[in-house]
Amino acid sequence: MEGEAVSGAQLIAQALRAQVRARGGDRQPAGRDSVQRNIEYMFGIVGIPVTEIAIAAQAVGIKYVGMRNEQAACYAASAVGYLTGRPGVCLVVSGPGFLHALGGIANATINCWPLIVIGGSSDRNQETMGAFQEFPQVEAGRLYNKLSVRPSSLEVIPAVIEKAVRTSMYGRPGSCYIDIPGDFVNLQVNKSSVKYVECCLPPPISMAEHSAVSKAASVIALSKQPLLIVGKGAAYSHAENNIRKLVELCGLPFLPTPMAKGVVPDNHPNCVAAARSMALQHADVIILLGARLNWILHFGLPPRYRQDVKVIQIDICAEELGNNVMPAATLLGDINAVTQQLLEEFSKRSWKYSLNSEWWKKLRGKIKNNEERSKELALQKSLPMNYYTVFHHIRELIPKDCILVSEGANTMDIGRTMLPNFYPRQRLDAGTFGTMGVGLGFAIAAAMVARDRTPGRRVICIEGDSAFGFSGMELETICRYNLPILIIVVNNNGIYTGLDANSWEEMLKFGDPATCVPPVSLLPNAHYEKIMSAFGGKGYFVKTPEELQNALKASVSDKQTPSLINVMIDPQSERKKQEFPWLTRSNL
């Protein structure tokens, strides 16, 4: 209506709801769902001045999930971006609320996940006066976001939100921040004066130059010891079908990075994850599909790689091409589209790498050797249990199609090798930024998305006891929204390693624990499962394989109730000795 008024909170909610809607005839990203969804989820903590925004969001059909910490809320919203390709929204209050969200904002941008953060800020007429929670949020946000903006008026809010949503998804995805002055929230404006904009189009699909594709194929065809590395950029691009076809058409050994596990199933015969160090060190040609030569891949440099290794880089971001290593070929474009181009090129060449090559024989030998070493550790009968025994039983009893969330030091690292993934975008962990504390936020996001899109799919969140401590109070959030997440805390009483109860008591005899207890130590035998029970979920405290099996069976069969299994292991249990340790100088 001509004279109808609308508040700032209502404008924000309506503008968010309007974005990312399918339009007839629009080109959809190859391999993605044909139906583009609206922004569906908002996570946050309400307070002055944003409470009305959350209420308005619910009124237009956006699901609002109230969290217990802004960091966890931001991690959850960013995980929605990765799982769906559409940004989740994180809503925070001014000052400290905004600052608490910065960890999640940075994690999203470095992981290349779309995210929208909306932060309240001080009223315009109180700027520079020492207003409540006054802070230069727009300026601070520029370090962490692709876009950091404050609307100049209510009338431009829809246009600003459209730009933020579009920017978060286009090119290399990342976070965008929108700053809302407190007086904007309840201020009203006539609808006729608002600058409404159309929904942004799906991200455009870019393809590599034909000459680059041809050159890459030639380099691969001349390789003696090729290796395909699949990154989470390939998972985000929904490139699983084309990548599997490429692997099988060309007979290539492949190695997934952690969150790319499942793009091609981990049990595929061409997966060489169990021979990771050897594969990286001896490959003469490496094809990077949406993976970066950063610390996770040892920067592509010797001694982890051959001095003369040839790298073929496929990435959506031009600035990434050539980082740390001069590529033999660069293919700029969407991973799924470029993989399709490579498939078409190799279908003309009829080239396939021999499965009987010496390279394959060496890889298979190393895989067999490493798997036998892991199996030996997994079948140990000694108590307390070690990591490998725990993961052996978890692997046997959890659903194959579950979404796995994992974080911790040895817990996450060993879990990567022991717990296979069979489907894409069903593993979430500390990621490129190596962020601890992401687990429960990620699990909540995954459970919300699974409930709406794949009902019945379970979310299994496996945490080290240290990692669990970062966001443990989100158990209340899980129970409040009745999300049947199974949380497994692998408890070694510490960070990396801990102390048993007797050693702890002996240590306390030397005085103040602040001066005599090792910094890596946590309280022995902490009953984290009782926190879950306190909120109405089910908690289990287990020490033996039999107790673990019984708790897993009960938790997996109960599809209605959140549960937490607190698994006590040997405080000195560690990874098996590595010839070339994967993660160095990191907290993972």
Side-chain angles (χ1 to χ4, degrees):
M1 289 177 60
E2 182 71 21
E4 188 176 351
V6 61
S7 71
Q10 291 171 320
L11 270 177
I12 293 165
Q14 292 166 4
L16 287 171
R17 187 61 175 166
Q19 288 307 310
V20 203
R21 180 178 299 154
R23 301 199 314 166
D26 287 343
R27 181 184 176 190
Q28 304 296 339
R32 314 265 178 98
D33 294 340
S34 60
V35 177
Q36 302 299 318
R37 300 171 183 266
N38 298 333
I39 289 177
E40 298 175 273
Y41 307 99
M42 177 182 285
F43 304 82
I45 298 178
V46 296
I48 298 170
V50 301
T51 303
E52 290 83 357
I53 297 175
I55 295 170
Q58 288 181 317
V60 299
I62 295 173
K63 295 182 179 180
Y64 174 78
V65 179
M67 306 284 282
R68 302 305 299 266
N69 181 282
E70 287 91 355
Q71 269 192 324
C74 208
Y75 294 143
S78 68
V80 164
Y82 173 65
L83 293 169
T84 69
R86 306 290 165 251
V89 179
C90 179
L91 179 68
V92 297
V93 300
S94 51
F98 166 80
L99 289 171
H100 290 168
L102 286 180
I105 292 171
N107 191 65
T109 297
I110 290 174
N111 268 345
C112 309
W113 294 353
L115 168 69
I116 302 296
V117 177
I118 296 175
S121 62
S122 51
D123 292 0
R124 291 171 298 169
N125 64 358
Q126 296 175 355
E127 286 184 8
T128 75
M129 296 175 64
F132 176 65
Q133 297 183 335
E134 184 175 359
F135 191 77
Q137 294 169 197
V138 176
E139 293 84 351
R142 289 198 176 102
L143 282 174
Y144 305 86
N145 293 277
K146 292 182 70 178
L147 177 71
S148 186
V149 62
R150 186 182 204 185
S152 59
S153 66
L154 263 64
E155 286 85 351
V156 301
I157 282 176
V160 167
I161 286 177
E162 185 275 340
K163 181 176 177 64
V165 170
R166 176 163 38 88
T167 303
S168 76
M169 295 189 300
Y170 279 32
R172 173 181 276 179
S175 176
C176 292
Y177 173 66
I178 303 171
D179 193 73
I180 303 295
D183 56 309
F184 270 21
V185 175
N186 291 312
L187 187 65
Q188 295 199 341
V189 67
N190 194 299
K191 266 190 172 184
S192 62
S193 65
V194 175
K195 184 182 177 182
Y196 289 102
V197 293
E198 293 187 31
C199 307
C200 70
L201 299 174
I205 302 301
S206 55
M207 302 173 72
E209 294 178 316
H210 177 73
S211 59
V213 175
S214 180
K215 182 179 180 181
S218 297
V219 173
I220 295 169
L222 293 173
S223 64
K224 303 297 182 185
Q225 297 181 170
L227 177 66
L228 179 68
I229 298 179
V230 184
K232 70 174 179 289
Y236 182 80
S237 181
H238 288 237
E240 53 268 17
N241 292 334
N242 278 338
I243 291 176
R244 182 164 187 166
K245 289 177 184 176
L246 183 66
V247 165
E248 294 174 352
L249 177 67
C250 297
L252 294 169
F254 75 91
L255 173 71
T257 60
M259 271 189 275
K261 283 164 59 68
V263 168
V264 182
D266 284 346
N267 62 353
H268 192 282
N270 288 41
C271 181
V272 296
R276 182 185 191 277
S277 295
M278 171 184 276
L280 293 178
Q281 191 187 32
H282 297 290
D284 66 343
V285 171
I286 288 176
I287 306 103
L288 286 174
L289 277 172
R292 291 173 278 181
L293 290 177
N294 54 23
W295 65 276
I296 293 178
L297 290 174
H298 315 297
F299 312 106
L301 300 174
R304 300 297 179 89
Y305 294 79
R306 287 171 49 150
Q307 188 75 41
D308 61 347
V309 66
K310 294 180 179 177
V311 175
I312 296 167
Q313 225 174 337
I314 305 168
D315 204 282
I316 199 170
C317 177
E319 290 81 357
E320 189 62 39
L321 303 174
N323 269 358
N324 300 319
V325 173
M326 182 64 69
T330 58
L331 288 76
L332 176 65
D334 175 82
I335 302 301
N336 191 46
V338 175
T339 305
Q340 178 65 38
Q341 289 180 281
L342 284 170
L343 275 171
E344 293 169 0
E345 185 70 22
F346 277 110
S347 66
K348 301 173 189 173
R349 294 176 179 245
S350 300
W351 176 85
K352 187 167 186 175
Y353 187 69
S354 173
L355 292 174
N356 297 316
S357 67
E358 285 300 313
W359 178 229
W360 262 120
K361 291 177 184 176
K362 290 178 181 177
L363 289 170
R364 291 191 192 105
K366 191 65 174 178
I367 289 169
K368 183 179 179 181
N369 179 262
N370 284 343
E371 287 179 343
E372 286 175 351
R373 290 166 66 195
S374 294
K375 185 177 180 180
E376 181 181 343
L377 288 167
L379 297 179
Q380 285 184 359
K381 302 295 185 182
S382 58
L383 294 176
M385 293 180 285
N386 64 46
Y387 284 102
Y388 293 86
T389 302
V390 170
F391 282 117
H392 168 73
H393 292 293
I394 293 173
R395 182 178 62 200
E396 294 298 310
L397 292 171
I398 62 174
K400 282 191 172 184
D401 68 344
C402 70
I403 300 174
L404 278 173
V405 180
S406 183
E407 63 171 332
N410 291 326
T411 298
M412 182 178 65
D413 196 10
I414 297 171
R416 285 169 172 166
T417 66
M418 291 289 291
L419 299 177
N421 287 85
F422 304 99
Y423 303 96
R425 295 168 300 283
Q426 290 188 200
R427 180 181 177 88
L428 294 159
D429 66 22
T432 309
F433 211 20
T435 308
M436 292 296 104
V438 296
L440 296 190
F442 282 2
I444 289 167
M448 292 293 295
V449 172
R451 175 182 283 178
D452 290 341
R453 302 192 179 191
T454 52
R457 177 165 291 163
R458 299 303 299 275
V459 176
I460 314 290
C461 181
I462 305 174
E463 305 259 303
D465 50 331
S466 171
F468 175 76
F470 282 84
S471 56
M473 194 52 68
E474 298 301 337
L475 291 186
E476 188 274 334
T477 309
I478 290 170
C479 290
R480 183 166 17 110
Y481 291 97
N482 196 31
L483 301 172
I485 299 166
L486 166 55
I487 298 165
I488 302 170
V489 178
V490 184
N491 190 346
N492 70 345
N493 301 336
I495 304 168
Y496 306 117
T497 59
L499 298 172
D500 60 39
N502 291 334
S503 299
W504 175 267
E505 291 299 327
E506 288 299 315
M507 197 73 67
L508 293 183
K509 293 178 181 178
F510 291 97
D512 186 343
T515 60
C516 65
V517 169
V520 296
S521 298
L522 298 173
L523 190 68
N525 301 326
H527 282 267
Y528 300 114
E529 79 286 351
K530 291 186 177 180
I531 305 174
M532 177 64 90
S533 299
F535 294 128
K538 293 183 178 179
Y540 304 87
F541 184 78
V542 306
K543 291 185 174 182
T544 68
E546 293 74 23
E547 291 173 345
L548 175 58
Q549 288 176 334
N550 291 336
L552 282 168
K553 289 175 183 176
S555 299
V556 170
S557 63
D558 185 347
K559 299 180 181 180
Q560 306 298 322
T561 312
S563 54
L564 187 151
I565 304 174
N566 187 11
V567 187
M568 302 308 302
I569 67 168
D570 183 351
Q572 299 301 309
S573 179
E574 296 187 86
R575 300 171 59 201
K576 66 178 184 288
K577 298 299 180 184
Q578 300 290 303
E579 183 179 357
F580 299 101
W582 180 354
L583 302 175
T584 57
R585 294 187 298 166
S586 79
N587 66 338
L588 305 185

